[in-house]
């Protein structure tokens, strides 16, 4: 369901079907990128991509489950970072695998 601000809510589904965190975004990929940054980060993007994890996001109000391969890694903060930002940041990326529909 689309909110008044145009964003949609997506619930992170675990392997056993339980739903935990809620991520919002105008597109499923935007929410998946937010979820990917919560993964255990690897030392580099190449290491992280080889250890990609499947994540499933169910769009609230629908039976659609968006499936992504996700990975995260640590990186140096940009040179023009704000003063409160640490020297290391976590970056994430995703690759969409498809959409499934729940039978529940």
């Amino acid at each position: 369901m689309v909110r008044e601000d145009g964003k949609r809510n997506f619930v992170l589904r675990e392997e056993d079907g339980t739903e935990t965190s809620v991520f919002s975004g105008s597109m499923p990929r935007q929410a998946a990128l937010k979820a990917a940054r919560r993964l255990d980060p690897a030392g580099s993007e190449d290491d992280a991509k080889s250890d990609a994890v499947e994540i499933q996001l169910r769009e609230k109000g629908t039976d659609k489950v968006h499936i992504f391969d996700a990975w995260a890694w640590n990186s140096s903060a940009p040179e023009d970072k704000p003063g409160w930002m640490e020297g290391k940041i976590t970056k994430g990326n995703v690759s969409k695998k498809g959409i499934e529909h729940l039978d529940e």
Side-chain angles (χ1 to χ4, degrees):
M1 299 187 64
V2 180
R3 301 184 327 199
E4 287 181 20
D5 61 1
K7 294 192 180 202
R8 303 183 293 185
N9 290 322
F10 299 89
V11 182
L12 182 65
R13 289 178 57 90
E14 301 296 333
E15 289 180 17
D16 62 1
T18 60
E19 297 179 343
T20 54
S21 305
V22 177
F23 299 94
S24 62
S26 55
M27 301 296 283
R29 184 174 190 276
Q30 188 177 23
L33 287 168
K34 292 176 183 180
R37 291 190 55 210
R38 294 220 182 150
L39 296 173
D40 231 0
S44 70
E45 184 175 9
D46 292 334
D47 292 342
K49 192 170 184 176
S50 64
D51 294 331
V53 175
E54 181 179 284
I55 60 172
Q56 297 183 358
L57 295 172
R58 182 183 61 83
E59 187 170 349
K60 283 188 134 186
T62 71
D63 66 346
K64 285 193 225 176
V65 178
H66 301 269
I67 302 169
F68 294 88
D69 277 336
W71 58 95
W73 68 97
N74 286 325
S75 180
S76 298
E79 292 295 321
D80 60 346
K81 66 181 174 72
W84 54 264
M85 186 181 282
E86 297 178 13
K88 289 275 188 190
I89 59 172
T90 302
K91 290 188 172 187
N93 205 353
V94 295
S95 174
K96 188 151 189 176
K97 293 172 74 173
I99 298 175
E100 290 182 359
H101 294 272
L102 295 176
D103 295 333
E104 300 171 14

